[in-house]
Amino acid sequence: MTIFRSASGEGHTEVVLTAGSPYGSRTLVVERDEDASVAYLCSPDGTVHGACWLANHRPAPAVVDLARINAGLPPLMPRANTLHPAGRRPLGQLTPLWFEEGDGVALYEEDELLAVIPGWADMHRGMPGYARDAVGESPFAWALSEALEGLRPRLANAESYWRWRYSEGSWPSFQQFVMGHLDRVLGPAGRYWDAGGDRLPTVGITERPPHGDRLFSVLSTVGMSCQRMPTVEQWIDQPGAYARIELAVATREDPREAALLLVWLAQYPWHSVTWLGHGHTAKWYHEPDTFPLGPQYAGVLMQADAPDMPPMGGFAFGGEAVRWLWLTPITGEALTG
């Protein structure tokens, strides 16, 4: 039995909302028919990562209606698991609010919180989203009221973050903030490259030529720490200490070659819905002989405190410390070892 079908438009359903995350990594799709409404959290290829029943529009059945599920229709919540067993009117105007990380979303009906599908929702593991009209826990939705204590701070942060992020001057002020920190720890800036294009997150790369006793150039991303990375809380007990990063690489060769490593990884966490941390490795995405630091290498190792590298601490954003991860080239054997 399939609990939720793919949000593919099959069956006699109507799509009432489609909204993409700011990073393009997830899409919220809300569908309904005459009997029920449901929300899906999908990746660009249509894979459904989270799914949440929203409302019954007719009297609830006593038990799960398997015929509807097998027909690929939005599920009807059984009577014991809905606040409105007699059903409720069709949903009003819907507005999404994306988490800062872009991997989860809240859905508002008019100005009232209707549902939340967090990044850790997984329908295959029996973890649907949270719905206002749900009672207890069912395969279709968990009660939103029982999760609000933990979700409210997350939603308040998301609302304030996007209000700030889309305000005039937010990016230049953040950029200046990071560059000032790097001036203090690495010395004067050299060249600067855009690594984000026209997609969020906005990220640049700053070059710091040899300075003082440092005989090598350092390149650093500028902008990764402007937003928290997705999924960190699924792996780390205290995600606030690991959710914001910048990347750095040291080189004695042409800095433009090393900069390609940062271009490669600068937007990766948000577009691939993952995180980067100390001890992580990444395999070069292109042909091996095109690796920027030489064909003998196949990827990079990330280290929070790389040996003989300048200390980068002392910078924070959003009340959370930012960690610089140094990229060290590694061979294919090291990647698979």
Side-chain angles (χ1 to χ4, degrees):
M1 180 183 76
T2 302
I3 297 299
F4 285 93
R5 70 178 180 82
S6 171
S8 61
E10 299 172 1
H12 304 288
T13 59
E14 173 190 6
V15 176
V16 297
L17 176 70
T18 301
S21 79
Y23 311 116
S25 55
R26 293 286 184 263
T27 300
L28 174 68
V29 179
V30 179
E31 296 182 351
R32 68 169 295 258
D33 66 2
E34 294 181 352
D35 298 329
S37 294
V38 64
Y40 301 96
L41 189 61
C42 310
S43 59
D45 66 4
T47 301
V48 177
H49 296 276
C52 183
W53 166 90
L54 300 175
N56 289 350
H57 305 306
R58 71 167 176 84
V63 296
V64 174
D65 187 338
L66 292 178
R68 281 183 62 84
I69 293 172
N70 292 332
L73 297 172
L76 277 166
M77 184 68 82
R79 189 178 305 134
N81 295 107
T82 173
L83 291 174
H84 302 284
R88 54 151 293 174
R89 61 176 174 76
L91 301 173
Q93 176 155 356
L94 301 175
T95 306
L97 171 65
W98 290 94
F99 287 16
E100 178 181 341
E101 301 88 338
D103 60 342
V105 64
L107 184 63
Y108 290 81
E109 182 187 16
E110 310 303 344
D111 293 325
E112 186 176 348
L113 184 60
L114 176 66
V116 178
I117 307 180
W120 58 87
D122 186 337
M123 63 181 191
H124 299 297
R125 290 170 25 198
M127 298 170 63
Y130 304 93
R132 179 190 64 197
D133 293 350
V135 174
E137 296 183 1
S138 80
F140 306 135
W142 291 357
L144 179 60
S145 59
E146 298 176 10
L148 275 179
E149 182 178 354
L151 290 172
R152 272 200 187 102
R154 196 71 174 263
L155 301 182
N157 175 76
E159 186 174 9
S160 62
Y161 175 77
W162 292 115
R163 187 187 308 117
W164 170 81
R165 188 63 187 85
Y166 288 123
S167 66
E168 185 176 356
S170 62
W171 167 248
S173 66
F174 176 86
Q175 184 184 43
Q176 186 176 11
F177 192 29
V178 182
M179 294 288 278
H181 171 74
L182 293 174
D183 287 345
R184 289 188 292 274
V185 298
L186 294 176
R191 290 167 290 188
Y192 185 92
W193 298 277
D194 173 28
D198 57 358
R199 297 196 304 172
L200 286 178
T202 303
V203 185
I205 297 171
T206 177
E207 173 195 20
R208 304 287 160 153
H211 178 73
D213 295 334
R214 177 169 50 82
L215 303 179
F216 51 86
S217 296
V218 172
L219 295 104
S220 170
T221 58
V222 176
M224 293 182 72
S225 61
C226 189
Q227 51 282 303
R228 303 174 102 241
M229 290 183 293
T231 75
V232 178
E233 73 277 344
Q234 298 177 38
W235 301 94
I236 300 291
D237 289 336
Q238 296 180 316
Y242 300 89
R244 297 188 189 275
I245 66 162
E246 299 286 351
L247 300 178
V249 62
T251 182
R252 297 177 186 270
E253 307 300 329
D254 186 346
R256 292 173 296 182
E257 292 297 315
L260 294 175
L261 295 178
L262 302 182
V263 173
W264 164 41
L265 293 172
Q267 296 179 313
Y268 180 78
W270 297 273
H271 295 168
S272 298
V273 191
T274 189
W275 69 293
L276 302 176
H278 175 73
H280 289 195
T281 59
K283 183 179 179 181
W284 180 241
Y285 73 104
H286 204 34
E287 296 297 325
D289 59 3
T290 66
F291 190 83
L293 302 184
Q296 69 271 34
Y297 300 113
V300 294
L301 170 68
M302 304 172 206
Q303 296 174 288
D305 297 299
D308 302 319
M309 292 297 110
M312 304 288 278
F315 180 74
F317 183 69
E320 297 173 327
V322 174
R323 306 173 90 210
W324 260 262
L325 300 179
W326 290 90
L327 305 184
T328 302
I330 55 176
T331 63
E333 291 75 12
L335 276 169
T336 57

